[in-house]
Amino acid sequence: MMKQHISTSHLFGANALFIEELYENYLADPTSVPENWRTYFDQLQTQPGAAVRDVAHGPVIAAFEQMAKRGPVRTVVAEGGDDKRQVGTLQLINAYRFLGNRWANIDPLKRSERPQIAELEPSYYGFTEADLNKQFNVGSFHGFSTQHATLREILEALRQTYCGSIGAEYMYIADIQQKRWIQSRLESVRGTPKFSAEVKRRILERITAAETLERYLHTKYVGQKRFSLEGGESAIVAMDELIRVAGSLGVGETVIGMAHRGRLNVLVNTLGKSPSMLFSEFEGKAASDLSAGDVKYHMGFSSDVMTPGGPMHLTLAFNPSHLEIINPVVEGSVYARQLRRGDTAKSQVLPVLIHGDAAVAGQGVNQETLNFSQTRGYGTGGTVHIVINNQIGFTTSDPRDYRSSLYCTDIFKMVEAPIFHVNGDDPEAVAFVTALAVEFRQQFKKDVVIDIVCFRRLGHNEQDEPMVTQPLMYRTIQKHPGTRKLYADRLVAEGTLASDEPEKMIAEYREHLDKGELLYNPVLSGHSRQFAVDWTPFLNQPYTDEADTAIPAQEVKRLAERLSYVPEGFTLHPRVKKIIDDRAAMGRGEMPLDWGMGENLAYASLLAQGYGVRISGEDVGRGTFFHRHAVLHDQKRERWDEGTYKPLENIQDGQARFQCYDSVLSEEGVLAFEYGYATTEPNELVIWEAQFGDFVNGAQVVLDQFVSSGEAKWGRLTGLTIMLPHGYEGQGPEHSSARLERFMNMAAENNWQVCVPTTPSQIFHLLRRQMLRKLRKPLIIITPKSLLRHKEAVSTIDELAYGRFRTVIGETEALDAKKVKRVVLCQGKIYYELLAYRREQGIKDTALVRIEQLYPFPAEEFAKAINAFPNAKEVVWCQEEPRNQGAWYWLVSRQHLVNVLGAKRKLLLVSRPAAASPAVGYYAKHLAQQKAVVENAFGPIKDAMPQNPNQ
């Protein structure tokens, strides 16, 4: 009997959602629920260990389940009574809030029939025609002047609100306040906005501008790619409304990320880019001093426009063809702008991301970006997402192929973002939900989604024939008159416009396009931007410029004292305490400086000089290899959100900002975020560190499309620093190599710096050089692992106080230069193994030279180091990596070594054999290979490599 009771109880199965809604209604207004339910909710508050009124509703449902299992709770709905019909009414309201979007009229092409959903039919709850005129309590439903309405009125209100041009999804949100806020906005107007004639005219003008620009370009530049917005023109209405509402709510900057579809339209009709400038790009006449440049539908732009709340700066980020990869870049840029403004409330700078339907569902970087959207070091206070959902993506429109979820936006539910599906043929509904979305973001600082369901008039690009793969879909599209025509006819029919006004709008806009200008230009000229950064000092800086990176010895000691200070009562882990105590001794000159100390002193000195420092990545606070300890943890702390101390935040009064965040387990998204941050903030040392160097493999798109080529394509400077732990220590294929060869192969046009420092003083001066000289180029640092605690890899205070970064380190021991017959060139950890072997064997005729900066190659310094040994006829490049990897191929193919060595010296190679894998997985084999590499560097070398790397 108990089993039967539980299985039929309203507390279980599908009715859990009903209980949730009842309980929310009870919390908002106890009188809104039937008396029997109110009695049991009141009773629940008195149960031992029961949930109290201000907690989430989940525990309440669980508590009811436990009460039911104990026996005292009985089904409270009276069979055949008014209470049963009242409960049915509330269940019906709840069903429409959850499922009404499935019946919403959101597809302009009307390609599918309305699905059968029994829960949306009154009969599912036992109602008959006779019940339609009976009155029931409407519970928490908004939009009625009294608390009661007939079932017919309730049903009509539900279908108008949730089954019209807007399909809302939000009931999965756990926060009651957020759900109630959305309900009040939607239900109070029944999902149907009421706009003035002036606003309606502006909406039509925006759609007219969008459509007319596309058709103008289509006829003037026949066959040229532009990724037309035709069919999705309401996106321009959304952008117009977004900017207006955001401005009125205090937003001073909006940063936009989007791919190709509609980009040219947004550039012109939203950001106010001159049509004449766009036409020059189509005609190939646009002047550019960039070495590469990019196609017009990748280009970014910025402008200042006026809003009801004052001026707003708009930025459209440059974006390559990897579509959604721009999203974390935008978030990083927004985060930096918010910090610059001191915008702790995250209300003054707004990120807006415009997606395609196939890409938003298909590309994993969106999950990464959403996953860190509410974290401390990466959260920007919510993003407004606009999906231009043309229901086809590239060419795949068969629902059996293009995704595994019902909607392309389902991924956003992972962060409980509300989603508003809206019919693109109803531009007023688009404007309404856009305003709603912006208000929600500003109110709750969460992501929110506008899914504009539309279509694509032309092919994927203007050279594509969509009928080849979508004949059925495109027969429907060919019959569609267009959103502008539908809306214009609607306004004429309702008397808002005269019958000839829509055509006059088109003619007027075309007339201005013929002149290369906009009809309504939103751009403010001569507007002063208080929070802008002047990049002028960083332009056209020669990479050969040096910087004085030394600091006085007394300052080293002062900084060391601050780095080793621990607050009273703060209990360190014994191993960490030893490291901190050693750092104090290093500062007193009692111990040589190790790598961790050299690195931390670099940060501390920059912070003291006014340069901010930001470090992010997986486990960067401690450091993957237990060397950094920029964040200390009290071993006796009682709460997870307290008991940490950052010495670098406490270097001195008035110091610059220090940020150190352990990131989510993400490479692509986080590295892209840091790139966006660094392109926005030139006065901070921005570092992303991979947990192991090969982890950067997961972010290759960011390296290829942004870090290595952003300056050549778009003129975007960045001082982003990337640290990649690298070294062959027997950890197998995945944790040995940072794939140095990839960075070398992409090195050209002085696009970045690739360095392999081998001492604490080198990392100290290298990090300081990155900020102190005006050059803003990405810095790739191949950092050590076991070398972090190597007894030879140490430095003195004097090397910090009087030294500099040395691109090449020549022989450091007292060899007779005239007796040296061979010079071994190397980089990284292998140097110390070569040094140890030379000492063990008593070898006196072989010198060791370290190349600490591989790119740009320091030819002059290299020549000095080599020419110090005039009788050396053999020069060996020795590397741990296989011969087809590492720096070897690049050094030889670019002639960097040969150009200096000349014809009298023989160039030889010592390395592991060419291999498909970066390293072997068998430890014994690793040891044998490593031993062979070290020994061969000093012995007879059969594998002579003259000038052809492919031999």
Side-chain angles (χ1 to χ4, degrees):
M1 292 295 292
M2 176 58 71
K3 182 177 180 181
Q4 181 182 9
H5 169 77
I6 291 176
S7 66
T8 58
S9 170
H10 286 321
L11 307 179
F12 297 94
N15 287 312
L17 298 177
F18 164 63
I19 298 296
E20 174 186 3
E21 172 67 9
L22 272 181
Y23 183 64
E24 290 179 8
N25 292 339
Y26 168 80
L27 291 179
D29 178 11
T31 63
S32 66
V33 301
E35 183 177 354
N36 287 339
W37 280 105
R38 186 163 65 250
T39 299
Y40 279 98
F41 282 129
D42 289 340
Q43 176 189 350
L44 184 64
Q45 309 304 313
T46 64
Q47 292 291 318
V52 294
R53 293 179 61 88
D54 61 348
V55 301
H57 45 261
V60 173
I61 298 173
F64 260 78
E65 291 177 354
Q66 291 303 316
M67 289 170 62
K69 291 174 182 177
R70 292 195 300 267
V73 177
R74 298 183 61 83
T75 303
V76 298
V77 180
E79 291 292 333
D82 289 339
D83 275 355
K84 182 178 180 179
R85 286 192 289 273
Q86 178 60 61
V87 168
T89 302
L90 297 180
Q91 287 180 305
L92 182 65
I93 293 172
N94 210 40
Y96 272 85
R97 287 169 170 171
F98 271 99
L99 302 172
N101 61 87
R102 298 289 306 279
W103 277 6
N105 177 30
I106 58 175
D107 182 5
L109 302 180
K110 299 178 173 60
R111 293 193 299 153
S112 58
E113 296 181 0
R114 192 170 74 176
Q116 295 293 323
I117 303 177
E119 291 90 340
L120 299 181
E121 300 287 2
S123 58
Y124 181 80
Y125 306 97
F127 291 112
T128 66
E129 285 288 329
D131 295 315
L132 289 177
N133 293 321
K134 293 182 179 178
Q135 289 209 340
F136 298 96
N137 190 306
V138 297
S140 62
F141 191 85
H142 297 264
F144 290 104
S145 57
T146 65
Q147 195 63 32
H148 290 78
T150 65
L151 181 60
R152 188 187 306 277
E153 292 171 331
I154 294 171
L155 191 60
E156 180 182 9
L158 289 170
R159 291 179 175 173
Q160 286 179 346
T161 302
Y162 292 106
C163 303
S165 294
I166 300 168
E169 291 189 280
Y170 64 91
M171 288 297 286
Y172 43 78
I173 298 174
D175 187 278
I176 297 174
Q177 183 184 2
Q178 294 174 24
K179 286 192 284 194
R180 288 287 182 245
W181 188 93
I182 293 171
Q183 289 166 2
S184 68
R185 297 301 194 278
L186 284 175
E187 295 170 356
S188 61
V189 297
R190 298 192 179 182
T192 306
K194 300 294 188 294
F195 290 127
S196 67
E198 179 185 359
V199 172
K200 292 180 179 180
R201 187 184 298 271
R202 188 181 75 241
I203 290 173
L204 179 60
E205 183 276 322
R206 292 285 79 202
I207 294 179
T208 301
E211 181 187 87
T212 306
L213 175 64
E214 295 293 354
R215 296 191 174 183
Y216 188 91
L217 294 175
H218 193 62
T219 55
K220 189 170 183 177
Y221 303 105
V222 178
Q224 287 207 40
K225 287 185 182 180
R226 70 177 192 278
F227 298 96
S228 168
L229 188 61
E230 287 182 79
E233 294 91 346
S234 286
I236 299 300
V237 174
M239 289 303 300
D240 181 69
E241 191 69 11
L242 181 148
I243 291 166
R244 291 174 58 83
V245 174
S248 68
L249 296 176
V251 174
E253 288 187 73
T254 296
V255 184
I256 306 163
M258 67 180 300
H260 308 336
R261 180 76 50 212
R263 188 181 187 91
L264 301 183
N265 220 302
V266 169
L267 280 166
V268 172
N269 286 317
T270 299
L271 282 87
K273 181 175 183 176
S274 167
S276 61
M277 188 184 303
L278 180 63
F279 300 157
S280 294
E281 292 171 359
F282 268 98
E283 295 162 10
K285 299 176 182 178
S288 176
D289 56 359
L290 300 177
S291 63
D294 205 348
V295 293
K296 51 192 168 292
Y297 45 82
H298 288 175
M299 301 304 287
F301 195 73
S302 64
S303 62
D304 296 284
V305 302
M306 183 56 70
T307 76
M312 179 188 292
H313 184 68
L314 301 179
T315 297
L316 177 63
F318 296 85
N319 192 38
S321 288
H322 282 273
L323 306 179
E324 303 289 324
I325 191 62
I326 193 60
N327 300 342
V329 175
V330 165
E331 301 296 342
S333 178
V334 168
Y335 193 94
R337 293 166 193 260
Q338 290 172 338
L339 289 178
R340 185 186 303 154
R341 286 172 169 260
D343 181 17
T344 56
K346 301 184 184 300
S347 60
Q348 299 174 33
V349 188
L350 175 68
V352 176
L353 300 176
I354 305 176
H355 312 266
D357 53 312
V360 74
Q363 298 197 355
V365 71
N366 287 321
Q367 184 275 339
E368 296 188 26
T369 306
L370 289 169
N371 191 40
F372 62 59
S373 64
Q374 292 294 322
T375 61
R376 291 181 299 165
Y378 312 87
T380 54
T383 298
V384 176
H385 301 267
I386 299 175
V387 180
I388 302 178
N389 184 352
N390 56 42
Q391 309 181 74
I392 187 172
F394 179 24
T395 60
T396 305
S397 59
D398 190 325
R400 296 171 297 179
D401 298 326
Y402 62 7
R403 61 175 175 263
S404 297
S405 60
L406 177 62
Y407 294 116
C408 66
T409 53
D410 284 342
I411 187 175
F412 294 102
K413 294 174 183 177
M414 67 176 281
V415 292
E416 297 187 352
I419 301 167
F420 301 104
H421 309 281
V422 58
N423 192 319
D425 274 355
D426 189 344
E428 290 185 17
V430 171
F432 172 72
V433 296
T434 302
L436 186 69
V438 176
E439 291 169 5
F440 180 89
R441 186 271 176 189
Q442 290 296 90
Q443 176 73 25
F444 298 106
K445 301 299 185 293
K446 280 183 59 177
D447 288 53
V448 59
V449 184
I450 305 159
D451 177 24
I452 303 176
V453 184
C454 52
F455 59 92
R456 190 185 71 196
R457 173 71 67 183
L458 305 175
H460 173 67
N461 60 60
E462 287 62 41
Q463 299 165 3
D464 179 54
E465 175 48 72
M467 285 292 288
V468 172
T469 48
Q470 277 78 35
L472 181 62
M473 182 181 196
Y474 271 82
R475 281 200 298 271
T476 303
I477 290 174
Q478 288 172 351
K479 299 174 184 176
H480 194 288
T483 303
R484 185 208 61 81
K485 179 70 165 60
L486 289 175
Y487 189 56
D489 290 350
R490 172 179 161 186
L491 296 188
V492 170
E494 69 183 31
T496 301
L497 296 180
S499 60
D500 60 344
E501 283 191 79
E503 293 303 316
K504 286 182 179 179
M505 279 188 180
I506 297 174
E508 191 175 9
Y509 191 85
R510 286 189 64 90
E511 180 182 344
H512 281 76
L513 287 179
D514 287 335
K515 299 176 184 177
E517 62 186 28
L518 285 169
L519 176 58
Y520 304 108
N521 193 335
V523 178
L524 298 172
S525 58
H527 174 62
S528 175
R529 289 188 58 223
Q530 177 184 356
F531 299 102
V533 170
D534 181 13
W535 284 84
T536 306
F538 307 102
L539 299 175
N540 303 315
Q541 294 291 334
Y543 75 90
T544 52
D545 277 4
E546 287 296 331
D548 183 5
T549 56
I551 61 175
Q554 197 59 36
E555 177 67 356
V556 175
K557 294 177 181 179
R558 184 188 75 83
L559 295 174
E561 184 179 345
R562 297 306 306 161
L563 286 171
S564 57
Y565 169 79
V566 179
E568 186 176 350
F570 195 98
T571 305
L572 295 176
H573 186 280
R575 287 181 62 191
V576 178
K577 186 177 187 305
K578 174 67 166 59
I579 291 172
I580 299 302
D581 290 344
D582 285 350
R583 288 180 180 175
M586 292 173 193
R588 296 191 297 267
E590 299 168 3
M591 294 177 63
L593 306 176
D594 64 9
W595 189 281
M597 188 57 164
E599 184 186 326
N600 274 280
L601 282 169
Y603 303 142
S605 60
L606 288 172
L607 291 165
Q609 288 181 252
Y611 295 97
V613 174
R614 175 182 170 87
I615 311 171
S616 91
E618 296 150 18
D619 203 21
V620 293
R622 183 198 70 173
T624 298
F625 307 102
F626 214 75
H627 82 285
R628 182 170 294 119
H629 299 289
V631 181
L632 305 178
H633 298 266
D634 189 342
Q635 296 300 297
K636 294 184 178 179
R637 70 185 184 192
E638 300 295 330
R639 291 164 48 99
W640 62 267
D641 57 347
E642 62 182 22
T644 59
Y645 177 72
K646 298 177 183 178
L648 287 164
E649 284 184 339
N650 298 276
I651 296 300
Q652 65 186 37
D653 291 338
Q655 69 170 69
R657 176 174 49 241
F658 174 69
Q659 304 175 67
C660 185
Y661 294 106
D662 293 340
S663 74
V664 299
L665 192 63
S666 157
E667 289 83 40
E668 182 179 43
V670 173
L671 179 56
F673 182 99
E674 301 305 337
Y675 172 82
Y677 188 107
T679 56
T680 304
E681 184 47 79
N683 296 309
E684 290 190 20
L685 176 63
V686 182
I687 297 173
W688 178 76
E689 181 181 58
Q691 196 169 61
F692 285 88
D694 60 288
F695 281 29
V696 78
N697 295 351
Q700 196 64 39
V701 171
V702 186
L703 298 175
D704 292 349
Q705 304 299 330
F706 292 98
V707 184
S708 69
S709 58
E711 182 178 357
K713 293 189 295 188
W714 313 313
R716 302 297 291 168
L717 302 182
T718 178
L720 177 64
T721 298
I722 299 175
M723 289 183 172
L724 305 176
H726 173 96
Y728 281 61
E729 289 138 339
Q731 295 194 55
E734 269 67 62
H735 295 320
S736 296
S737 175
R739 288 294 194 176
L740 174 61
E741 61 275 5
R742 293 179 180 168
F743 296 95
M744 303 314 299
N745 288 336
M746 288 191 287
E749 300 181 286
N750 297 323
N751 60 332
W752 56 23
Q753 311 154 84
V754 183
C755 298
V756 192
T758 56
T759 70
S761 65
Q762 282 288 84
I763 190 66
F764 172 85
H765 291 295
L766 177 59
L767 291 172
R768 285 179 53 75
R769 186 185 76 166
Q770 182 69 351
M771 293 309 297
L772 293 182
R773 62 180 182 176
K774 292 298 183 182
L775 185 74
R776 288 296 176 266
K777 300 275 187 178
L779 171 60
I780 313 300
I781 307 179
I782 305 301
T783 57
K785 296 179 290 183
S786 63
L787 199 62
L788 295 172
R789 278 169 285 279
H790 196 286
K791 63 180 180 179
E792 296 278 350
V794 293
S795 299
T796 65
I797 289 177
D798 282 352
E799 287 177 294
L800 274 56
Y802 303 105
R804 62 177 179 83
F805 178 71
R806 292 183 288 171
T807 56
V808 177
I809 300 179
E811 178 58 61
T812 60
E813 296 195 332
L815 298 181
D816 186 341
K818 293 181 180 179
K819 294 181 180 180
V820 170
K821 299 177 181 179
R822 174 182 289 183
V823 177
V824 177
L825 309 175
C826 61
Q827 42 89 31
K829 173 182 76 73
I830 193 70
Y831 165 76
Y832 291 97
E833 295 171 81
L834 294 169
L835 180 64
Y837 183 83
R838 187 178 71 175
R839 288 174 178 173
E840 290 170 4
Q841 301 299 317
I843 299 172
K844 301 295 184 181
D845 63 353
T846 303
L848 301 177
V849 173
R850 282 169 277 176
I851 311 296
E852 302 274 296
Q853 178 173 295
L854 289 168
Y855 188 80
F857 188 76
E860 185 176 340
E861 291 81 359
F862 172 62
K864 289 178 183 177
I866 289 295
N867 293 334
F869 308 102
N871 298 325
K873 302 305 180 185
E874 293 182 340
V875 175
V876 176
W877 176 260
C878 178
Q879 66 179 34
E880 294 185 294
E881 302 84 0
R883 63 187 293 176
N884 60 319
Q885 299 172 32
W888 166 248
Y889 269 21
W890 179 84
L891 286 167
V892 176
S893 65
R894 302 290 181 91
Q895 303 289 303
H896 287 304
L897 300 182
V898 175
N899 287 343
V900 175
L901 299 181
K904 294 182 180 181
R905 295 187 180 103
K906 183 186 293 185
L907 177 61
L908 305 167
L909 168 66
V910 171
S911 72
R912 282 172 163 78
S917 173
V920 298
Y922 303 112
Y923 189 64
K925 190 171 184 177
H926 158 75
L927 291 177
Q929 287 185 344
Q930 195 76 5
K931 183 173 181 289
V933 168
V934 174
E935 291 177 354
N936 288 345
F938 296 94
I941 301 174
K942 297 179 182 180
D943 192 9
M945 298 294 292
Q947 298 180 11
N948 184 357
N950 296 312
Q951 286 185 357

